Amino acid sequence: MFGGMIRHGRRRALTGAIALISIGMVLSSCVMLRRPPEIDAYLEDRMTAAGIPGMAVGVVQEGELTYEGYFGYADIDAERTVTADTRFMIASVSKTVTASALLLLESRGGIDLDSDISAYLPFDVQNPNHADIPITARMLLTHTSSIIDNWEVVDALYTIDEGGGDSAVSLDRLLRGYLIPGGEYYDPEANFLTRVPGTRHDYSNVGFALIGYLVELITEQPFDEWTDQELFTPLGMDSSAWFLEGLDPVTLATPYSFQEEGPIGLPHYGYATYPDGQLRTTVRDFARFLGEIAAPDGSVLPRATVDEMLRVQDRSTHRSQALAWNYNETESLLVNMHLPRLPAHSGGD
């Protein structure tokens, strides 16, 4: 479900209330979904009650999009409604795609998830508190790398204050500055945990920006170009893009900030850590990605790769954390009592 607002873990004061996008999927072929006749009315009622300007909803069953619904406005002032062609920035749900890109490389022998990532980088990445402990790609994928979000840096790199647009700060500049002592964004206390890498779960947007950077270096292509070539095009995701450049603004859902006087429109913006949350896509496009994840044998991602991505990795650090995906996104006792725990990811910005 794509909400009319738009990254999990983001705490930007400018945006006021944060709306969430949650995407879960049923992998069991024995589960059948039925569409009650009142579902459209119910969803529209809940959207209105929550004060959300517009949303798009999709249900993927056995790899196929079996329900899609479009409600409210993509742009309130222009009275432009949400349609099947409306692109939403899906915030941290994007991490499932970024993880898939790295795991596709792993399936082709491009990276060992348990090797020191410094072997793939033009500089060493070390936690200054534990310089002798290697940081691995698996740690990045499970948020246990000990690299954490320095919000003073991360929030300042949003382009909202300068009127929006894509960030001019490249992944190379960002991560050199953030991870190398003496760098423009380096802070040994605010950028790293004191805990040993691999022993503590701490949700990290910067960690997923580093995954995108690894993909760039291994493939010798920009992350956005490689994912378009190796994931989006083969899956028919023709309406999905990481950057605003080249996109028709009329196809974009406007991001809004919740204020006392009502929703306030924000410019279409970007940020330097973009592989962690900046994917813009449609319900139909993302359904193709979910179909690939749920398929018995995907056309792009090997089934063994998907199975490993959806496997809970280390219960001693987090009992429900797979590779990017998580089995406790709702954190709802009622939901978890009545439904099986399923791989999911939320997002808010």
Side-chain angles (χ1 to χ4, degrees):
M1 181 171 72
F2 299 170
M5 310 309 211
I6 34 176
R7 168 165 73 122
H8 185 72
R10 285 289 178 185
R11 298 181 293 184
R12 184 175 176 86
L14 253 178
T15 56
I18 297 175
L20 295 179
I21 306 161
S22 295
I23 295 183
M25 62 183 182
V26 177
L27 296 180
S28 173
S29 61
C30 65
V31 177
M32 297 299 292
L33 303 178
R34 293 188 301 167
R35 177 178 176 176
E38 68 274 15
I39 188 170
D40 287 354
Y42 172 80
L43 290 171
E44 190 158 19
D45 177 70
R46 300 315 303 155
M47 180 191 74
T48 302
I52 296 171
M55 69 180 184
V57 181
V59 174
V60 176
Q61 178 185 350
E62 297 183 18
E64 299 294 330
L65 184 62
T66 58
Y67 170 81
E68 54 187 309
Y70 304 98
F71 308 91
Y73 291 104
D75 187 307
I76 298 171
D77 292 340
E79 297 186 348
R80 178 164 52 83
T81 58
V82 174
T83 72
D85 297 321
T86 302
R87 294 179 171 104
F88 287 83
M89 180 192 276
I90 62 171
S92 278
V93 182
S94 306
K95 289 182 173 68
T96 61
V97 177
T98 297
S100 296
L102 188 69
L103 290 168
L104 181 57
L105 277 180
E106 188 270 342
S107 74
R108 298 174 178 178
I111 186 171
D112 180 346
L113 298 185
D114 298 305
S115 292
D116 188 337
I117 58 172
S118 296
Y120 304 96
L121 298 170
F123 53 86
D124 289 339
V125 175
Q126 299 170 335
N127 181 323
N129 304 297
H130 305 280
D132 58 330
I133 305 297
I135 293 173
T136 70
R138 194 179 302 273
M139 292 177 190
L140 295 174
L141 289 162
T142 56
H143 301 287
T144 60
S145 70
S146 77
I147 299 169
I148 57 176
D149 294 328
N150 178 346
W151 291 104
E152 184 174 342
V153 170
V154 174
D155 282 348
L157 292 174
Y158 272 67
T159 66
I160 292 177
D161 293 337
E162 49 265 34
D166 296 319
S167 174
V169 178
S170 68
L171 289 175
D172 181 78
R173 174 183 166 186
L174 167 73
L175 293 163
R176 285 179 183 272
Y178 199 92
L179 299 171
I180 299 177
E184 61 182 315
Y185 309 121
Y186 188 79
D187 185 324
E189 296 181 358
N191 295 8
F192 301 90
L193 291 175
T194 58
R195 295 284 294 271
V196 174
T199 65
R200 171 70 179 270
H201 183 278
D202 198 298
Y203 191 92
S204 177
N205 289 294
V206 173
F208 268 74
L210 183 51
I211 291 172
Y213 186 51
L214 282 167
V215 172
E216 285 198 346
L217 292 170
I218 294 167
T219 64
E220 299 181 343
Q221 285 184 260
F223 175 76
D224 64 308
E225 292 182 9
W226 192 86
T227 51
D228 184 67
Q229 173 184 307
E230 301 295 333
L231 284 174
F232 301 159
T233 297
L235 293 175
M237 297 171 64
D238 299 329
S239 296
S240 300
W242 291 102
F243 292 119
L244 288 162
E245 184 179 5
L247 298 184
D248 183 348
V250 174
T251 68
L252 302 175
T254 299
Y256 288 94
S257 167
F258 279 167
Q259 305 295 340
E260 289 185 4
E261 60 271 32
I264 304 298
L266 299 174
H268 294 293
Y269 58 87
Y271 35 79
T273 60
Y274 80 90
D276 76 333
Q278 197 174 281
L279 184 64
R280 292 177 173 87
T281 190
T282 67
V283 158
R284 291 178 180 176
D285 260 29
F286 206 74
R288 293 184 175 95
F289 172 73
L290 290 181
E292 178 73 7
I293 299 296
D297 189 16
S299 61
V300 176
L301 293 166
R303 188 66 234 175
T305 296
V306 174
D307 289 344
E308 178 63 13
M309 179 163 58
L310 300 181
R311 180 180 69 84
V312 173
Q313 297 290 302
D314 184 353
R315 294 183 184 277
S316 69
T317 58
H318 197 291
R319 65 181 182 178
S320 58
Q321 181 67 59
L323 299 179
W325 298 85
N326 196 292
Y327 285 77
N328 196 32
E329 282 289 286
T330 65
E331 297 182 354
S332 166
L333 178 62
L334 184 63
V335 170
N336 290 333
M337 282 175 59
H338 295 282
L339 292 175
R341 291 181 183 268
L342 298 170
H345 209 296
S346 62
D349 212 357

